[in-house]
Amino acid sequence: MKHHAAFGLSMEDVDAVVVEDSKPMQTILRSILLSFKVARVRVFDSADDALEASLAEPPNVILTDWRMEPTSGYQFLRLVRHRHMEPLCYVPILFITAHGTRPLVDKALRAGAHHVLVKPVSPSTLYKRLTWVLNDDRPMTLEHSGFYNIYGIQKTLDAQAEKMQTLAGARLHHQMATQKRAEVEGAVEAAFAQNTGRGPVFAGEKKKEPIQHSAAAKHIRNAGFAAVKGAKSH
C-alpha cells in the first residue's frame, strides 16, 4: 500500500488536470486553480484525451466531470484505477458534477474517487477540498478485482449506509407509533362520548345541550303514560 500522488504536497507544487466538456466550466476551473498558485493546470475536453496525456505525464490530482461523451467520468475513473495504469492509478480524482445525488456519490467513492463536489462550486469550497486531499493519508490498496481503491472506504460507506437505514427504520417506527396513538385516542374519545349519552364531538361541532322540558309538557307526558298503563290493565 502507498499514498496517493498528491499526499504531502503544498498547493504550489500541484500539477492539476481538468477534464470538462463545457468550455465555460473549463475557464472557471482553470481560473480558480491558478488563483491557488498551483504549479500547472492542463485542461481537456474529453476523458480519452486526458487519459492519453496523463499516461505520458501523470498529474498530482485530476478534477473531472461525471457526465461526458463518449467516455463518462465513471469509466474514466475505472480506467485510471486499474493496476496496469501505474503510476497513474495513484492519482486522486475529484468529481465536479451538477448531479450530486446520494447514489452517484456512493458509486463514485466506492470506485475510488476521493471527493465529489456539486456545481456550481465556489473557490473557497474547492480550496478546502484540495487542501483536504493533500493531507489525506489514507493509503491506496490493490483489490482482488485488479483495481486500486482507498483503504477502508468500502467499510466506511457500508457503516454509513447501515446508519442511514437504522435512522430510516427509527423514523418509520415513530410515525407508526404516532398514528397508533392517534387511533387509540380516537377510540377512547368515541367510547367516552357513548357512555355519557352523546355522540362523539368532531372538530368544529358544538356540544349538544340536554333538552329542557316545561312543567306543562311534563304533565301532558305523564298523563299519557298513565292512560296507556290503565288500558293495558283492562
Side-chain angles (χ1 to χ4, degrees):
M1 293 188 294
K2 61 182 297 184
H3 292 298
H4 63 73
F7 176 67
L9 295 180
S10 64
M11 192 68 72
E12 293 76 14
D13 294 329
V14 171
D15 178 0
V17 160
V18 174
V19 191
E20 173 63 62
D21 54 5
S22 167
K23 292 295 184 181
M25 196 63 193
Q26 287 180 6
T27 302
I28 292 173
L29 290 176
R30 181 197 291 272
S31 299
I32 292 176
L33 290 171
L34 290 176
S35 72
F36 298 161
K37 308 295 185 183
V38 299
R40 186 185 187 188
V41 180
R42 288 176 282 168
V43 179
F44 299 94
D45 296 320
S46 69
D48 296 329
D49 292 341
L51 185 63
E52 183 177 353
S54 297
L55 282 171
E57 291 184 83
N60 303 122
V61 63
I62 296 174
L63 290 79
T64 179
D65 193 7
W66 181 267
R67 292 189 175 181
M68 297 184 295
E69 296 292 343
T71 303
S72 69
Y74 176 76
Q75 291 171 326
F76 177 63
L77 172 64
R78 298 306 285 167
L79 287 170
V80 169
R81 286 287 176 261
H82 196 274
R83 62 187 180 87
H84 289 156
M85 291 292 183
E86 192 172 0
L88 187 61
C89 57
Y90 304 120
V91 175
I93 294 180
L94 288 79
F95 281 102
I96 301 179
T97 175
H99 309 281
T101 61
R102 184 178 296 278
L104 184 150
V105 173
D106 186 80
K107 182 176 181 179
L109 295 180
R110 288 185 184 277
H114 279 73
H115 222 295
V116 178
L117 296 94
V118 179
K119 297 177 182 178
V121 60
S122 67
S124 60
T125 298
L126 182 55
Y127 187 85
K128 290 177 182 178
R129 296 299 177 263
L130 280 176
T131 301
W132 177 84
V133 168
L134 298 179
N135 292 279
D136 180 17
D137 62 354
R138 293 175 300 172
M140 305 292 291
T141 180
L142 182 62
E143 297 179 336
H144 295 297
S145 59
F147 294 88
Y148 275 90
N149 207 338
I150 302 167
Y151 179 75
I153 189 65
Q154 303 292 352
K155 289 184 178 179
T156 300
L157 292 174
D158 287 343
Q160 290 179 356
E162 184 177 355
K163 183 178 180 180
M164 291 298 296
Q165 187 175 5
T166 300
L167 289 174
R171 190 178 297 112
L172 179 60
H173 178 75
H174 175 72
Q175 291 175 349
M176 293 176 64
T178 302
Q179 182 180 358
K180 187 67 176 178
R181 176 182 175 180
E183 292 174 354
V184 171
E185 288 179 348
V188 170
E189 173 64 19
F192 176 77
Q194 184 177 7
N195 291 336
T196 54
R198 62 178 178 84
V201 178
F202 300 99
E205 181 183 1
K206 295 183 179 179
K207 295 182 179 180
K208 295 181 180 180
E209 299 296 335
I211 300 174
Q212 299 293 332
H213 298 284
S214 65
K218 290 181 179 180
H219 177 73
I220 295 172
R221 185 185 61 181
N222 292 336
F225 287 160
V228 172
K229 185 176 179 181
K232 289 182 176 180
S233 64
H234 290 289

